[in-house]
Amino acid sequence: MSMDTTSKEKSTSVATLSDFHSRTNLTEKGQQIDEYDPFANRDQANGSSTSGALAHLLKSSLGTGILAMPLAFYNAGLVFGMVGTLVIGFLCTYCVHILVKTSHNICRDAKVPYLGFAETAEKVFEYGPKSLRPWSNFAKQFVDGSLMATYYAAACVYIVFIATSFHDVINYDLKINWDVRIYIALTLIPCLLIGQIRNLRWLVPFSALANLFIVVTFGITLYYMFDVPLDFSDKPHIAKASQIPLFFATVIFAMEGIGVVMPVENSMKKPQHFLGCPGVLNTAMFTVVALYAIIGFFGYVRYGSEVRGSITLNLPDGAPLADAAKLLMAIAILFTYGLQFYVPNDILWKKINHKFDPANHNRTQILLRTGIILISGGVAAAIPNLEPFISLVGAVFFSLLGIFIPSFVETVYLWPNMGFAKWKLIKNVILMVLAIAALVAGATVSIEEIIDLYK
């Protein structure tokens, strides 16, 4: 329904706006029209199953992030880390819930079967308060820009992780002393090749191998985590206050998979199974939070203050099994790089392809992808330390995408009907303030650590 038509219906109705919810559709006699059902209008025959959607959501959340959880616990302490992980897990799950629910609602209003993350923000503003409607395109561009920045930044983290893993294994085993930046440069060669893949189907074999390698790596890592008696006595319950922002930033980076949520939900045969209890979202996030808490807690207990940005880097040098785990995880992340790089490039190309002659599209894409990968390599070489890099990406990008934007979008959609005593407004303001606080504090501490690397 267009905005003009909606306005006419509201003006010709015999009822006043105060008598109804602002999004109720009325006939001239004040009777409610049957609501549009977005689920019934989707191509559900070709959609993914509920179990398939659960697998996709789990895969998107179980990557390099879980290996960084012991470092997060180091920056929090055992008790605070456990409580904080559970709280952040709940907040991330809740923010995804309100984003998906808002998307469902605005689909009914706009009479479309599904919307992506950026399109949801756009339509919420377009159908929201009149003063905000001119900002609808900005909302879409802002979310798209944030998604691109997030994935490109995460791709830089991937490059650092791959290079660091090969650096530790090869330097120790061959008794050489190459700088990690040399390995970053070498890592760019396969990244340049896999980054040229533009069809998701061609990335499926890489993802399948990556999943296999990750499972094997987790098994080896767990073996080394429990191969000696664990000592809890020297681990603080709560870390220093100056370290806490790094904890929040790292956990948010590890746990957030907000960029894949809407594509997974949109592709389901039975999207009504995504929310609810148990639901795909709750099942996936319960599993993710439990695994993250266990790996973080026992990983920190095992390695203490020596824990690194990925727990695989703490495995003993020179041991064949440990070396295999480090290299398998590095290769798994390399194979996942193609998917990580595909998402932002797909968004970017859709925005700019009209500016180029169609005859030159193939050449342009090759040059564009090559340029972005080389720039990513330059950023990785400038910040070759995994720990502050992960914290910085989590603090800036995932705080915005995972917490701030869903809360803001829900507020715009519901306005002015914010519940009793405007509790929903108060709740969302608190979430937005927490997101900004995590962004500022986490980014500040991370940047200070990066500056210290050069002193």
Side-chain angles (χ1 to χ4, degrees), residues 119-134:
E119 290 75 19
T120 295
E122 179 185 34
K123 289 296 182 183
V124 163
F125 275 75
E126 185 180 321
Y127 282 74
K130 288 185 177 180
S131 60
L132 295 179
R133 290 176 188 176

Side-chain angles (χ1 to χ4, degrees), residues 74-77 80 236-248 441-442 445 448-449:
Y74 165 73
N75 287 315
F80 189 87
H237 290 171
I238 302 178
K240 297 177 182 177
S242 60
Q243 295 175 253
I244 299 299
L246 291 174
F247 163 75
F248 284 111
V445 175
E448 287 176 351
E449 284 203 349

Side-chain angles (χ1 to χ4, degrees), residues 63-64 67 161 214 217-218 312 324-333:
T64 55
L67 301 175
F161 175 84
I214 288 172
T217 301
F218 280 173
T312 55
K326 295 175 186 178
L327 295 179
L328 282 175
M329 195 64 194
I331 296 170
I333 297 304

